[in-house]
Amino acid sequence: MLPAPPPVQATGWNLLVLSTLGMTLAASALAPVLFYGLLWDRFTARGALWSLYGTTALTVLLLAGSPLLSGDASSAFPGHDFQWIQLTNPGLITVPAGFLLGWLGSRTDPRADSASRRRALVTSAVGDAPTLPDSPFSSESSITFHHR
């Protein structure tokens, strides 16, 4: 007989475990990447990957040893006790770790001067800023119309 897929196996679990996992992953993995990506010019792909992969692994590890999974009557596995940390919300550790990993990954990236690479990428994607004439009625107008 084939084992049941994970959603079917998690049918009887406490929903707090699954919602904590989802919210903690969103806060600790995505928030640093969005924040750094929008506000820090030197944020690199290496920093994003370190933040995403590192906080995902840390969240799963901390959640696996928390009272949400074992050791409590309302936990996912109430008959077992393999908790090693008394922390019900791993986001208290993983959110700052996500920001730290994103910063550390970007700072240790061997490709230097990512700000100028970003500017070059934006320029290649949208082109140079257009230059408009001072007056639309000037004789040196760069806008020409072709009649057919």
Side-chain angles (χ1 to χ4, degrees), residues 5-15 18:
V8 175
Q9 289 178 353
T11 301
W13 283 17
N14 185 357
L15 288 178
L18 300 175

Short mmCIF file of all heavy atoms in Angstrom, two decimals, residues 5-15 18:
data_model
loop_
_atom_site.label_atom_id
_atom_site.label_comp_id
_atom_site.label_asym_id
_atom_site.label_seq_id
_atom_site.Cartn_x
_atom_site.Cartn_y
_atom_site.Cartn_z
N PRO A 5 -0.38 11.01 0.81
CA PRO A 5 0.35 12.27 0.59
C PRO A 5 0.30 13.13 1.85
O PRO A 5 -0.60 12.97 2.68
CB PRO A 5 -0.37 12.92 -0.57
CG PRO A 5 -1.65 12.20 -0.72
CD PRO A 5 -1.52 10.86 -0.06
N PRO A 6 1.23 14.08 1.99
CA PRO A 6 1.30 14.90 3.21
C PRO A 6 0.02 15.64 3.59
O PRO A 6 -0.30 15.70 4.77
CB PRO A 6 2.44 15.88 2.92
CG PRO A 6 3.27 15.18 1.91
CD PRO A 6 2.35 14.33 1.10
N PRO A 7 -0.76 16.21 2.66
CA PRO A 7 -1.98 16.89 3.12
C PRO A 7 -2.98 15.93 3.77
O PRO A 7 -3.68 16.31 4.69
CB PRO A 7 -2.57 17.49 1.85
CG PRO A 7 -1.43 17.61 0.92
CD PRO A 7 -0.52 16.48 1.25
N VAL A 8 -3.01 14.69 3.30
CA VAL A 8 -3.93 13.73 3.90
C VAL A 8 -3.42 13.29 5.27
O VAL A 8 -4.19 13.09 6.20
CB VAL A 8 -4.13 12.53 2.95
CG1 VAL A 8 -5.00 11.46 3.60
CG2 VAL A 8 -4.75 12.98 1.65
N GLN A 9 -2.10 13.17 5.43
CA GLN A 9 -1.54 12.78 6.71
C GLN A 9 -1.72 13.88 7.75
O GLN A 9 -1.79 13.60 8.94
CB GLN A 9 -0.05 12.48 6.57
CG GLN A 9 0.21 11.19 5.82
CD GLN A 9 1.70 10.92 5.65
OE1 GLN A 9 2.51 11.77 5.99
NE2 GLN A 9 2.03 9.77 5.13
N ALA A 10 -1.80 15.11 7.35
CA ALA A 10 -1.95 16.23 8.28
C ALA A 10 -3.40 16.57 8.56
O ALA A 10 -3.68 17.59 9.15
CB ALA A 10 -1.24 17.45 7.72
N THR A 11 -4.32 15.68 8.19
CA THR A 11 -5.73 15.98 8.34
C THR A 11 -6.13 16.17 9.80
O THR A 11 -6.87 17.08 10.13
CB THR A 11 -6.58 14.85 7.72
OG1 THR A 11 -6.23 14.76 6.35
CG2 THR A 11 -8.05 15.13 7.85
N GLY A 12 -5.64 15.34 10.71
CA GLY A 12 -6.04 15.44 12.11
C GLY A 12 -5.19 16.38 12.93
O GLY A 12 -5.39 16.49 14.14
N TRP A 13 -4.26 17.09 12.34
CA TRP A 13 -3.36 17.97 13.09
C TRP A 13 -4.09 19.21 13.58
O TRP A 13 -5.11 19.62 13.03
CB TRP A 13 -2.21 18.41 12.23
CG TRP A 13 -1.14 17.40 12.01
CD1 TRP A 13 -1.22 16.06 12.22
CD2 TRP A 13 0.17 17.65 11.54
NE1 TRP A 13 -0.04 15.46 11.90
CE2 TRP A 13 0.82 16.41 11.48
CE3 TRP A 13 0.85 18.78 11.16
CZ2 TRP A 13 2.14 16.30 11.06
CZ3 TRP A 13 2.16 18.67 10.74
CH2 TRP A 13 2.79 17.44 10.70
N ASN A 14 -3.51 19.79 14.57
CA ASN A 14 -3.99 21.07 15.06
C ASN A 14 -3.65 22.13 13.99
O ASN A 14 -2.53 22.20 13.50
CB ASN A 14 -3.28 21.39 16.37
CG ASN A 14 -3.80 22.64 17.03
OD1 ASN A 14 -4.65 23.33 16.49
ND2 ASN A 14 -3.29 22.93 18.21
N LEU A 15 -4.61 22.94 13.61
CA LEU A 15 -4.38 23.94 12.57
C LEU A 15 -3.38 25.01 12.99
O LEU A 15 -2.81 25.69 12.15
CB LEU A 15 -5.70 24.59 12.18
CG LEU A 15 -6.64 23.71 11.37
CD1 LEU A 15 -7.93 24.47 11.08
CD2 LEU A 15 -5.99 23.27 10.09
N LEU A 18 0.07 24.23 11.39
CA LEU A 18 0.18 24.56 9.98
C LEU A 18 0.14 26.07 9.73
O LEU A 18 0.88 26.59 8.89
CB LEU A 18 -0.93 23.86 9.20
CG LEU A 18 -0.92 22.33 9.30
CD1 LEU A 18 -2.13 21.75 8.61
CD2 LEU A 18 0.36 21.76 8.74
#
